[in-house]
């Protein structure tokens, strides 16, 4: 039987930006927060933004930053490995929140994990 989930330190995800801390005016690569998924908490950094979608539905494929209310497809890098799975495989292991300074910054779902090492 295959293992129930994998431990990874990078994920590609789709997030909805709900709020930003006072010290950050935009959400961009290098943004640091705490990744919360099921029972784990881990420091994470946004390493790359692939695409943003505005609240009106306008898609930007070469986005460098995002604002509150946008949907973002990005890569997150965790400090240590976390046990997660894609949202399509196991929805309860594929949901997460990003929090910082006592605020929920974003909610999201994991769309892709790094390839398995054989």
């Amino acid at each position: 039987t295959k293992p129930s989930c994998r431990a990874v330190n990078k994920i590609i995800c789709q997030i909805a930006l709900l709020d930003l801390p006072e010290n950050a005016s935009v959400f961009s690569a290098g943004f640091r927060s705490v990744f919360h998924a099921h029972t784990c908490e881990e420091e994470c950094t946004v390493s790359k933004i692939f695409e943003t979608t505005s609240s009106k539905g306008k898609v930007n494929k070469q986005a460098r930053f995002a604002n509150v209310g946008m949907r973002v497809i990005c890569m997150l890098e965790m400090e240590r490995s976390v046990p997660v799975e894609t949202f399509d495989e196991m929805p309860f292991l594929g949901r997460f929140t990003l929090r910082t300074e006592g605020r929920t910054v974003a909610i999201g779902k994991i769309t892709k994990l790094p390839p398995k090492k054989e």
Side-chain angles (χ1 to χ4, degrees), residues 4-118:
S4 55
C5 72
R6 294 172 42 206
V8 296
N9 64 350
K10 286 183 183 178
I11 59 169
I12 294 177
C13 56
Q14 178 183 5
I15 61 174
L17 277 176
L18 305 175
D19 198 3
L20 284 171
E22 276 111 32
N23 64 359
S25 55
V26 292
F27 181 86
S28 63
F31 184 86
R32 296 181 61 82
S33 62
V34 179
F35 175 88
H36 294 264
H38 45 89
T39 60
C40 72
E41 295 177 20
E42 191 56 50
E43 290 277 331
C44 76
T45 307
V46 176
S47 55
K48 184 170 183 180
I49 293 180
F50 298 108
E51 178 182 306
T52 61
T53 307
S54 71
S55 55
K56 294 179 178 138
K58 185 175 181 248
V59 176
N60 183 355
K61 297 271 188 192
Q62 276 90 37
R64 292 227 169 101
F65 63 90
N67 289 315
V68 173
M70 291 182 146
R71 293 200 180 276
V72 182
I73 296 174
C74 63
M75 180 184 286
L76 295 180
E77 233 173 289
M78 268 60 84
E79 297 287 321
R80 295 179 301 178
S81 296
V82 292
V84 291
E85 194 54 72
T86 62
F87 183 79
D88 295 334
E89 288 281 319
M90 292 184 180
F92 54 92
L93 289 177
R95 289 189 197 99
F96 65 91
T97 60
L98 296 180
R99 290 180 56 86
T100 186
E101 297 177 18
R103 295 175 162 185
T104 299
V105 175
I107 55 173
K109 62 183 183 179
I110 299 168
T111 55
K112 195 172 180 186
L113 297 175
K116 289 181 182 173
K117 293 178 184 154
E118 296 300 324

